[in-house]
Amino acid sequence: MRASAFEVIGGPEVLRLVDLPDPEPGPGEILIRVAHAGVSHGGIQHRLGDFGEPDGETVTGLEASGRVAALGEGVTGVSVGDAVTAYLPDGGGYAE
């Protein structure tokens, strides 16, 4: 999976494209193939270190939309291929 990530806090110049392992949804989770990611004040604060130092490769992006790519165990109410939007409090929207 390609993602825009950072390892050190700073301005937009600290963001770089990286290849990360493809995520697998856990129980109660869905995997989204991101089509659009929001650039918000919270994501900028994250990159600037307002939420602490990054712990290794960090993918920010607190809002995203796209299509459901996979379902974790026990997920109901959505199907693979459904259009969705998501708030991602732990980040991850700046990724495929």
Side-chain angles (χ1 to χ4, degrees):
M1 164 185 76
R2 302 275 292 171
S4 180
F6 64 99
E7 284 187 298
V8 296
I9 58 174
E13 69 278 358
V14 302
L15 292 170
R16 58 194 174 77
L17 286 176
V18 297
D19 288 309
L20 299 173
D22 288 340
E24 295 286 332
E29 297 178 339
I30 66 171
L31 179 65
I32 300 171
R33 178 158 306 280
V34 174
H36 305 279
V39 178
S40 68
H41 186 69
I44 293 168
Q45 285 181 287
H46 190 194
R47 179 179 35 80
L48 291 174
D50 291 353
F51 306 138
E53 291 287 328
D55 185 21
E57 290 292 0
T58 299
V59 179
T60 194
L62 305 177
E63 306 95 10
S65 66
R67 300 228 172 240
V68 176
L71 302 173
E73 184 179 334
V75 172
T76 60
V78 295
S79 300
V80 171
D82 284 356
V84 294
T85 60
Y87 168 64
L88 308 164
D90 294 328
Y94 293 179
E96 294 178 319

